[in-house]
Amino acid sequence: MKDKLIIFDTTLRDGEQSPGASMTRDEKVRIARALERMKVDVIEAGFPAASQGDFEAVQAVADAIKDSTVCGLARALDKDIDRAGEALKGARSSRIHTFIATSPIHMQKKLNMTPDQVIEYAVRAVKRARQYTDNVEFSPEDAGRSEEDFLCRILEAVIDAGARTLNIPDTVGYSMPQQFGATIANLIQRIPNSDKAIFSVHCHNDLGLAVANSLSAVMNGARQVECTINGLGERAGNASLEEVVMAVRTRQDFFNCDTGLDAREIVTCSKLVSSITGFPVQPNKAIVGANAFAHESGIHQDGVLKNRETYEIMRAEDVGWTTNRMVLGKHSGRNAFKTRMAELGVDFAGEAELNDAFFRFKQLADKKHEIFDEDLQALISEQGFEAEDEHIKLVALKVCSETGEVPNATVTIRVGGKEMTGCAQGGGAVDASLKAIESLVKTGATLALYSVNNITNGTDAQGEVTVRLENAGRIVNGSGADTDIVIASAKAYINAVNKLQSPDQRQHPQKGDV
Ligand code: KIV
Ligand code: ZN
């Protein structure tokens, strides 16, 4: 019988700490639902003490999720623990994750505390967290650069105080796989009460070693890995969930543990996170990159046609790449649409939501002959975006782009019940359109990112546009999809402005008061 490897996903917390990867409360809930469908064991939903918005986002995830444990992060401070405990009240299964730094440089320069004081804070935090839940995790931050003797002392103390998961973070991505694995083995062996806790790892990717370090730890006794979809995360990111899960699954001859994940949900989850955060997935990214299963060279193609195992160690469909992706068309009915959506994990809240989605599907099918799963997902993403306080709506857009002339755009939007029209010139059709919208909404925000990705192939493919706006410490991502990328851009800009002006006053965690 193999051990269970617990998958702790921190896309919504550490992932959101990537510069610009902010998510609204509703977006966090949508990603959490996708993670739950994938059977992720623990979902770290945020850092409730960071801001009122983050508190509410964790609360919303805790209320929505039934099958995964929902976790909130807290510094080793009473006020943080209480906020986390409060935010997680509605969860069917909750965990509080508390941390304090243990490396000499962090203790001296950041905390200005002695090692004994750090232990005192850690123990107090764990005991306080235990008043809210039996499921308490402790992390010695910057463990990768901490002294092993000190780690043994503090970890023994927090186990005695009631911590049941000990997470060893390589906070700055400094460790080497062999060394990190040895540290895990030593801690498990040296800490007298180590059998009362599960050892976990949390690796950052500064040297590109986050997955290698995590797997080395697993080989040395770690039974929880903290990771993120697409490897999103602070700086160079965290260990990528899909790579860890598929490495362990593909090399079952090597690992004496496995996860309980439904890997067929991986690609859907990856696309959802990418479209919400506006962080595209590089084509050659393992597992979820568009080329991860594509064979270009003749020799490879020939080999795969004769026997796919000549060049493939995993099956694309096992991680959610569908081979027959053309699912619906102009003549498909409401039932076929609803059925395919259910297969993609989309449940409509009621008839009105289904009707709205079906109407949009028909509109798209008029413009685009073949509708793929990716188109359906974009459709739902858009519906999700619009559901969130879509105070401003795009009514009409006319652009004039001609060789030798300055492009200009005329845009009509509805703000509340009132229609307004604005015109602007720009360097191109997109620039003119966004300037025309800005002349009406006057956000004064900085455009931090503009990106276009084609959702499927062909010149009739939908373009998915992401726009990132930053204003007074708030960072928001807007998305829009359309077969016309100028319209997609206008939708994305309006979507971002709606978020910027929404009452959900969540600041990006990096801009919060923590
Ligand atoms: O990288 C890190 O140390 C963290 C901790 C809060 C676990 O994210
Ligand atoms: Zn981290």
Side-chain angles (χ1 to χ4, degrees):
M1 194 49 190
K2 297 222 171 188
D3 286 355
K4 164 101 187 260
L5 178 62
I6 297 167
I7 294 296
F8 176 115
D9 180 279
T10 182
T11 307
L12 303 180
R13 199 277 298 169
D14 218 329
E16 203 200 19
Q17 284 173 223
S18 307
S22 66
M23 303 166 201
T24 66
R25 182 187 56 214
D26 291 359
E27 287 167 345
K28 280 197 168 194
V29 171
R30 281 172 58 217
I31 293 175
R33 287 212 168 103
L35 295 171
E36 181 183 39
R37 262 199 311 281
M38 193 159 60
K39 300 192 169 41
V40 158
D41 301 288
V42 186
I43 299 171
E44 188 165 53
F47 189 173
S51 66
Q52 177 62 17
D54 224 20
F55 175 88
E56 286 168 14
V58 174
Q59 203 171 38
V61 172
D63 291 346
I65 297 303
K66 302 290 169 244
D67 298 333
S68 308
T69 296
V70 181
C71 177
L73 183 71
R75 289 170 300 181
L77 298 173
D78 289 357
K79 61 175 181 160
D80 278 33
I81 308 273
D82 294 346
R83 283 300 268 170
E86 189 64 28
L88 292 166
K89 257 188 188 154
R92 194 178 272 183
S93 165
S94 66
R95 173 181 294 186
I96 294 178
H97 174 192
T98 185
F99 72 99
I100 190 164
T102 51
S103 61
I105 183 168
H106 276 231
M107 290 192 291
Q108 286 158 22
K109 307 282 180 212
K110 185 178 90 172
L111 299 176
N112 196 18
M113 282 164 86
T114 65
D116 284 344
Q117 282 173 319
V118 168
I119 294 181
E120 204 181 297
Y121 268 68
V123 166
R124 182 186 162 95
V126 169
K127 286 189 175 157
R128 195 165 183 106
R130 280 296 299 251
Q131 291 170 10
Y132 293 95
T133 171
D134 291 345
N135 195 343
V136 174
E137 170 171 328
F138 173 76
S139 291
E141 191 192 6
D142 203 17
R145 293 188 298 170
S146 301
E147 286 163 6
E148 200 173 286
D149 287 351
F150 184 58
L151 285 178
C152 288
R153 268 182 70 205
I154 194 165
L155 293 176
E156 182 181 352
V158 294
I159 296 174
D160 278 342
R164 288 297 163 258
T165 302
L166 301 182
N167 179 48
I168 313 302
D170 183 22
T171 304
V172 290
Y174 180 69
S175 299
M176 291 290 132
Q178 210 178 5
Q179 168 207 6
F180 195 62
T183 301
I184 300 301
N186 290 346
L187 293 176
I188 295 176
Q189 197 232 320
R190 290 183 56 193
I191 298 171
N193 48 4
S194 66
D195 60 318
K196 295 197 175 60
I198 287 172
F199 280 73
S200 165
V201 286
H202 173 113
C203 299
H204 279 270
N205 208 28
D206 300 67
L207 293 173
L209 292 170
V211 171
N213 283 333
S214 303
L215 295 176
S216 173
V218 171
M219 285 162 58
N220 284 281
R223 286 297 173 264
Q224 174 177 286
V225 173
E226 299 198 356
C227 43
T228 57
I229 301 291
N230 301 338
L232 201 67
E234 186 88 56
R235 304 182 311 279
N238 288 59
S240 123
L241 176 145
E242 56 278 6
E243 292 176 22
V244 170
V245 168
M246 290 316 290
V248 172
R249 187 147 300 171
T250 305
R251 295 304 307 270
Q252 277 293 289
D253 56 323
F254 199 69
F255 290 98
N256 54 0
C257 57
D258 198 5
T259 71
L261 247 73
D262 181 353
R264 289 165 308 178
E265 295 292 332
I266 283 178
V267 168
T268 304
C269 241
S270 158
K271 290 189 173 181
L272 182 65
V273 170
S274 169
S275 101
I276 284 178
T277 57
F279 278 52
V281 174
Q282 75 197 55
N284 58 329
K285 165 85 175 63
I287 322 292
V288 293
N291 292 349
F293 293 88
H295 299 278
E296 186 69 24
S297 96
I299 296 174
H300 288 207
Q301 284 173 351
D302 181 55
V304 170
L305 286 174
K306 287 179 176 143
N307 181 335
R308 66 194 292 171
E309 285 176 23
T310 50
Y311 286 100
E312 278 185 10
I313 57 164
M314 294 166 277
R315 295 183 337 152
E317 49 275 38
D318 290 348
V319 296
W321 289 107
T322 44
T323 40
N324 179 14
R325 293 181 302 160
M326 206 281 280
V327 286
L328 298 172
K330 193 173 173 167
H331 302 293
S332 304
R334 201 164 168 278
N335 235 348
F337 173 74
K338 190 177 166 193
T339 308
R340 187 62 198 155
M341 284 307 214
E343 283 164 7
L344 292 173
V346 179
D347 294 322
F348 294 103
E351 281 298 294
E353 205 176 282
L354 168 62
N355 290 342
D356 185 22
F358 186 61
F359 177 71
R360 286 157 178 270
F361 160 71
K362 283 288 182 184
Q363 276 185 325
L364 180 61
D366 273 339
K367 289 193 268 183
K368 191 172 184 288
H369 200 54
E370 299 169 321
I371 308 283
F372 296 87
D373 283 348
E374 287 88 341
D375 292 312
L376 296 177
Q377 271 149 4
L379 195 94
I380 287 310
S381 291
E382 244 191 25
Q383 193 166 6
F385 299 141
E386 293 206 346
E388 288 178 39
D389 297 312
E390 198 81 321
H391 181 61
I392 307 169
K393 282 187 191 305
L394 177 68
V395 176
L397 166 63
K398 188 175 158 204
V399 214
C400 193
S401 178
E402 200 180 334
T403 42
E405 298 294 327
V406 182
N408 65 77
T410 307
V411 178
T412 304
I413 58 174
R414 188 174 301 119
V415 184
K418 196 170 151 229
E419 280 194 8
M420 307 157 82
T421 298
C423 304
Q425 293 187 325
V430 170
D431 189 41
S433 304
L434 301 196
K435 282 184 173 142
I437 299 169
E438 182 57 30
S439 74
L440 298 169
V441 293
K442 297 187 175 49
T443 63
T446 308
L447 181 69
L449 172 100
Y450 170 84
S451 83
V452 193
N453 285 302
N454 52 327
I455 294 179
T456 55
N457 294 327
T459 48
D460 72 341
Q462 289 197 89
E464 187 173 47
V465 174
T466 305
V467 161
R468 183 171 300 147
L469 295 181
E470 183 166 4
N471 197 16
R474 288 197 82 201
I475 301 174
V476 294
N477 290 309
S479 297
D482 201 280
T483 48
D484 181 326
I485 59 158
V486 183
I487 296 178
S489 304
K491 284 180 178 176
Y493 196 85
I494 289 175
N495 180 233
V497 174
N498 273 311
K499 287 182 184 172
L500 212 51
Q501 298 181 349
S502 87
D504 174 10
Q505 290 297 331
R506 268 186 82 233
Q507 280 210 322
H508 190 273
Q510 288 172 337
K511 310 268 178 182
D513 64 350
V514 202

